[in-house]
Amino acid sequence: QSVLTQPPSASGTPGQRVTISCSGSSSNIGSNYVYWYQQLPGTAPKLLIYRNNQRPSGVPDRFSGSKSGTSASLAISGLRSEDEADYYCAAWDDSLYVFGTGTKVTVL
Amino acid sequence: EVQLVQSGAEVKKPGDSLRISCKGSGYRFTSYWIGWVRQMPGKGLEWMGIIYPGDSDTRYSPSFQGQVTISADKSISTAYLQWSSLKASDTAMYYCARRGEELELDYWGQGSLVTVSS
């Protein structure tokens, strides 16, 4: 069902910067905002980024989002062990919410 | 404090019916859409559909249309996801989530694990 494509995995050492890409189409990312969610092991997803690049209260500024055309990306700077999780991008596509395929971030 | 509290884990047999719930508190329940998301074991997030409790306007993902029913009882601030005949392939964690002002899923329930096995 996923129509947003993400790399299956990404990794880095503590302190490094990791970037996750999210590729969509003109009907979703190309014409709507992008959202990012973090899912720590065994827990419910949590909103990380909304409106392409806005952080909810409480989300560290180490997390940043951007969008260009039909693609988006999430950057994690100053990687920390607690950032090890699955990350999903999402966007509205008409009245359908579409999630990305998910990226597992490993802290080496 | 906004909270979405879901019903507990269920173990069912193929062919059984089931309804799981998601109770909202800490906000005006009738003013925000509630969505449902499936996560099969070891897999990603899948959008199932969304309901506006204020008037029960419901939109389904084509992948789930006819397979499940989403409803809400605004008098008790609770949304529901139900199946009339479960299949083994319905085994998954199901999350409810509130759609916020920026169309984001800003608050999530803790998840309801549904296991279907003979």
Side-chain angles (χ1 to χ4, degrees):
Chain A
Q1 189 190 68
S2 296
V3 295
L4 305 183
T5 303
Q6 300 177 232
S9 63
S11 62
T13 56
Q16 277 191 326
R17 176 184 170 92
V18 169
T19 301
I20 301 168
S21 62
C22 173
S23 178
S25 68
S26 58
S27 63
N28 41 66
I29 293 179
S31 50
N32 294 292
Y33 291 127
V34 177
Y35 307 87
W36 289 90
Y37 299 90
Q38 177 193 56
Q39 187 176 31
L40 296 169
T43 69
K46 168 192 162 186
L47 178 66
L48 206 58
I49 297 286
Y50 67 97
R51 223 190 209 185
N52 301 333
N53 55 19
Q54 301 298 301
R55 286 183 307 277
S57 172
V59 173
D61 59 7
R62 302 184 294 103
F63 294 93
S64 61
S66 64
K67 171 186 148 176
S68 178
T70 59
S71 294
S73 62
L74 174 72
I76 311 173
S77 59
L79 193 66
R80 301 176 67 155
S81 58
E82 58 260 40
D83 299 332
E84 190 157 286
D86 294 323
Y87 293 83
Y88 296 91
C89 59
W92 287 98
D93 192 323
D94 195 9
S95 63
L96 181 67
Y97 203 54
V98 289
F99 288 102
T101 48
T103 299
K104 181 175 183 59
V105 169
T106 301
V107 182
L108 302 171
Chain B
E1 177 195 7
V2 174
Q3 281 193 308
L4 295 175
V5 178
Q6 297 185 229
S7 48
E10 302 273 3
V11 179
K12 293 290 187 179
K13 295 189 184 313
D16 284 351
S17 63
L18 174 66
R19 188 177 75 169
I20 61 175
S21 65
C22 169
K23 183 173 177 60
S25 62
Y27 72 100
R28 187 182 296 272
F29 186 74
T30 51
S31 298
Y32 292 83
W33 293 77
I34 293 285
W36 287 94
V37 176
R38 182 176 80 174
Q39 187 167 39
M40 298 178 76
K43 301 299 184 183
L45 306 176
E46 298 177 270
W47 182 251
M48 302 180 74
I50 194 168
I51 187 167
Y52 187 72
D55 62 6
S56 292
D57 185 8
T58 308
R59 318 279 173 86
Y60 291 94
S61 161
S63 299
F64 292 92
Q65 178 85 47
Q67 307 305 308
V68 297
T69 301
I70 295 171
S71 61
D73 185 340
K74 60 186 179 183
S75 70
I76 54 172
S77 301
T78 301
Y80 301 99
L81 178 65
Q82 67 183 68
W83 296 259
S84 58
S85 181
L86 286 160
K87 302 183 283 285
S89 56
D90 293 317
T91 294
M93 181 72 81
Y94 293 88
Y95 294 102
C96 64
R98 189 185 84 161
R99 192 179 82 171
E101 306 281 355
E102 304 287 353
L103 308 187
E104 79 282 27
L105 300 181
D106 57 357
Y107 291 92
W108 292 68
Q110 82 277 20
S112 295
L113 180 62
V114 173
T115 302
V116 184
S117 174
S118 55

